[in-house]
Amino acid sequence: MKIPKRLEPLVEAGLVDAVVRQLTSGKEAMIYVVRCGEDIRCAKIYKEANLRSFRQSVDYTEGRKVKNSRRARAMEKGSRYGRKAKEEAWQSTEVDALYRLAAAGVRVPQAYNFVDGVLLMELVTDGEGEPAPRLNDVVLTPGEAREFHRTLIREVVRMLCAGVVHGDLSEYNVLLGNEGPVIIDLPQAVDAAGNAHASSMLERDIGNLARYFGRFAPELLDTGYGKEIWSFYKSGKLFPEIGLTGRYERIEKAVDVGGVMREVDDALKEEAARQLTRREMGQK
């Protein structure tokens, strides 16, 4: 097929030998199957910001660090250079997340190169060597739904242990590869420690999984892994193989109303005594 213009620099640099076909066109990027030597990989071409249906929200970019101060100021002002820098930062977030999560043992595609807004990475395949389907294109048995849900909850935990929350996880961002589910699409990933919205995003991600897998195994709709996982994370007790129940009960100490009223009464008496002392001193 004709080489897309955005892929020409990779072909000229010898990183891509041939473009086999277009695989998908999503809300943020177009994916092409490419040949690199003897390997078949995929090339993700990020769409320009004005062409994406997914908008960069401050909820996602909060907490992201920019080392270059000039670049950071330009991004805040929204100048042409700043918009370009913000776009590059948005794209590089996925690359950084892929390397970080792969090192932590999370099931994500292997990244190979990132050149001019094009990410060259592993093509996730099914048992026949064909591009793996997304979860939303698959009909599952109740047993498969429970198994894949359990696997993905474990992957979410592993991600959080690496300090990352996906932020847009659902059946549309998981491929069913030959060895099980693989998590994809991470440009909106957030830093768990640096983003005030991380906990709500984690709960939303896990809620999306419960709703999808709950179509096939309804008991999963009643699970509450999000709050449980975040509570372990906040207390510093989260680790990849932690045992989870899917239940979370917030323990709150009962308020001792009588004790509070006694303290208020004592404070009022002390204040009355002070006022009386002042009046007596004023009369002398």
Side-chain angles (χ1 to χ4, degrees), residues 13-28:
L15 297 173
V16 170
D17 292 308
V19 179
V20 180
R21 63 185 176 92
Q22 182 174 334
L23 183 59
T24 62
S25 180
K27 62 186 178 183
E28 66 185 35

Side-chain angles (χ1 to χ4, degrees), residues 6 24 35 44 49 55 75-76 107 127 142 148 202 226 229 244 247 252 282:
R6 295 277 300 280
T24 62
R35 182 171 59 78
K44 181 173 186 175
R55 293 288 184 264
M75 289 169 68
E76 288 178 6
R107 292 181 177 181
F148 295 152
L202 178 80
I229 291 170
L244 299 171
R247 297 285 179 267
E252 297 181 352

Side-chain angles (χ1 to χ4, degrees), residues 107 122 124-127 132 147-148 151 175-182:
R107 292 181 177 181
E122 172 191 3
V124 180
T125 57
D126 60 17
E147 177 189 350
F148 295 152
T151 296
L175 299 178
L176 191 53
N178 185 37
E179 298 181 2
V182 178

Side-chain angles (χ1 to χ4, degrees), residues 6-203:
R6 295 277 300 280
L7 288 179
E8 288 177 357
L10 281 79
V11 173
E12 292 170 1
L15 297 173
V16 170
D17 292 308
V19 179
V20 180
R21 63 185 176 92
Q22 182 174 334
L23 183 59
T24 62
S25 180
K27 62 186 178 183
E28 66 185 35
M30 294 180 292
I31 310 290
Y32 288 87
V33 178
V34 298
R35 182 171 59 78
C36 306
E38 296 181 355
D39 298 318
I40 298 297
R41 296 174 179 169
C42 66
K44 181 173 186 175
I45 303 177
Y46 292 92
K47 293 181 178 179
E48 300 296 330
N50 62 329
L51 299 177
R52 291 198 307 259
S53 58
F54 192 104
R55 293 288 184 264
Q56 298 182 30
S57 165
V58 290
D59 289 356
Y60 290 95
T61 55
E62 178 185 296
R64 293 184 181 177
K65 296 180 176 61
V66 181
K67 294 180 181 179
N68 185 303
S69 59
R70 174 175 173 265
R71 189 181 177 94
R73 288 194 300 271
M75 289 169 68
E76 288 178 6
K77 291 179 180 179
S79 64
R80 179 180 295 181
Y81 169 71
R83 290 193 298 272
K84 183 175 183 292
K86 186 179 290 187
E87 184 68 13
E88 290 172 353
W90 176 258
Q91 296 170 3
S92 65
T93 295
E94 175 159 40
V95 184
D96 295 340
L98 286 173
Y99 283 118
R100 186 174 179 180
L101 295 177
V106 180
R107 292 181 177 181
V108 294
Q110 181 178 351
Y112 296 109
N113 269 296
F114 180 58
V115 181
D116 296 333
V118 179
L119 173 60
L120 196 59
M121 60 183 175
E122 172 191 3
L123 176 66
V124 180
T125 57
D126 60 17
E128 265 114 57
E130 293 297 317
R134 293 177 188 262
L135 267 181
N136 67 298
D137 293 323
V138 178
V139 176
L140 305 173
T141 65
E144 289 172 333
R146 295 185 195 101
E147 177 189 350
F148 295 152
H149 179 263
R150 185 166 54 249
T151 296
L152 285 168
I153 290 296
R154 195 54 62 195
E155 295 303 295
V156 168
V157 168
R158 204 177 295 278
M159 288 176 70
L160 189 54
C161 287
V164 177
V165 173
H166 189 286
D168 191 35
L169 188 60
S170 71
E171 65 271 26
Y172 298 98
N173 293 324
V174 177
L175 299 178
L176 191 53
N178 185 37
E179 298 181 2
V182 178
I183 295 172
I184 61 171
D185 294 342
L186 290 148
Q188 73 295 314
V190 301
D191 176 59
N195 191 301
H197 306 280
S199 61
S200 60
M201 290 182 184
L202 178 80
E203 288 185 39

